[in-house]
Amino acid sequence: MNGQKKGQTVGYVRVSAADQNEARQVEAIGEVDRLFAEKVSGKNVDDRAQLEEMVAYVRDGDVVRVKSPDRLSRSTTDLLSLVKELQGKGVAVEFVDSPELNTDTPQGEFMLTILAAVAQLERATIRERQAEGIAIAKARGVYEREQKLTDGQIFSARELIARGVPKAAVARELGVSRQTLYTALAGEGKYGVDQTHNEMERE
């Protein structure tokens, strides 16, 4: 990094599958001083070598340019965390398809603040519903510690899904696999024994 000049424009490109072509993203980003590209899922920021290398490479005064926010991450929480990390290094982020989110503009800062507030509200709602569900289940004597998801979490998951939040994102936020979430929502297996979440929905 000693030879890196100040104020570089660094591009990042990501496609999900090995048979997908990143050429369209590269064209949209335009000319950059250095390009990082990889073929990997965007569901989280783990195990993404090029992303990690890009974050380590950039420095104060640089600009990271991507085609759209979901190229960095499909998770709002992970996206905000990544943007905050880059900003902490003095690095701006540009989104070609969503310039209103560019971090070097007042509008972008405002929009990112709104997204952060929404993500925080969703997490708080899940925790609140979880606590309520556990309290109700315990009061009825039907709370089972061995369940991976509590009645409150299942109730919260249904609410988030009804509001348009993808099931994969809900499962990730709850810290369980998508299959566990699907099983809980369907009331199958151990989740079929306790119908508390159905009663909660009718109240």
Side-chain angles (χ1 to χ4, degrees):
M1 289 180 59
N2 292 334
Q4 181 186 4
K5 65 180 181 180
K6 184 177 178 65
Q8 284 193 330
T9 298
V10 178
Y12 176 77
V13 168
R14 181 189 63 78
V15 292
S16 299
D19 59 349
Q20 291 181 324
N21 194 315
E22 64 268 22
R24 186 166 57 179
Q25 291 183 49
V26 173
E27 181 180 358
I29 288 175
E31 184 177 351
V32 294
D33 295 295
R34 179 162 178 178
L35 179 67
F36 293 85
E38 57 190 340
K39 297 184 178 183
V40 63
S41 171
K43 64 181 181 180
N44 56 56
V45 295
D46 298 327
D47 301 322
R48 290 168 62 181
Q50 287 295 295
L51 178 63
E52 293 179 4
E53 186 176 343
M54 183 269 289
V55 173
Y57 175 80
V58 294
R59 68 178 188 183
D60 187 19
D62 287 347
V63 174
V64 170
R65 184 183 297 162
V66 296
K67 187 175 186 296
S68 59
D70 65 348
R71 296 304 88 195
L72 285 179
S73 178
R74 293 188 179 279
S75 163
T76 301
T77 301
D78 287 345
L79 173 64
L80 292 169
S81 177
L82 182 57
V83 169
K84 184 176 180 180
E85 181 178 359
L86 290 169
Q87 287 181 305
K89 299 183 67 173
V91 177
V93 183
E94 290 183 357
F95 301 102
V96 177
D97 289 351
S98 304
E100 68 276 7
L101 293 179
N102 290 354
T103 64
D104 58 350
T105 67
Q107 182 183 14
E109 289 285 353
F110 174 74
M111 291 298 294
L112 288 170
T113 299
I114 295 299
L115 286 176
V118 171
Q120 182 178 359
L121 176 61
E122 289 183 354
R123 290 193 297 271
T125 299
I126 289 175
R127 288 194 296 269
E128 180 181 353
R129 293 299 187 183
Q130 177 183 358
E132 290 177 354
I134 291 175
I136 292 173
K138 283 184 174 180
R140 295 175 177 175
V142 294
Y143 179 62
E144 298 181 5
R145 289 185 178 275
E146 65 269 18
Q147 286 189 231
K148 291 184 178 180
L149 286 178
T150 66
D151 296 311
Q153 287 176 311
I154 297 172
F155 183 73
S156 297
R158 291 179 184 278
E159 284 195 335
L160 291 174
I161 292 170
R163 283 158 46 191
V165 179
K167 290 181 180 179
V170 174
R172 184 166 53 249
E173 193 70 34
L174 292 172
V176 298
S177 67
R178 282 179 290 181
Q179 185 57 52
T180 295
L181 177 62
Y182 297 155
T183 299
L185 293 174
E188 299 174 348
K190 66 177 65 177
Y191 298 104
V193 176
D194 184 358
Q195 299 298 320
T196 303
H197 63 274
N198 291 329
E199 296 174 10
M200 289 172 62
E201 289 184 320
R202 291 196 294 268
E203 292 178 350

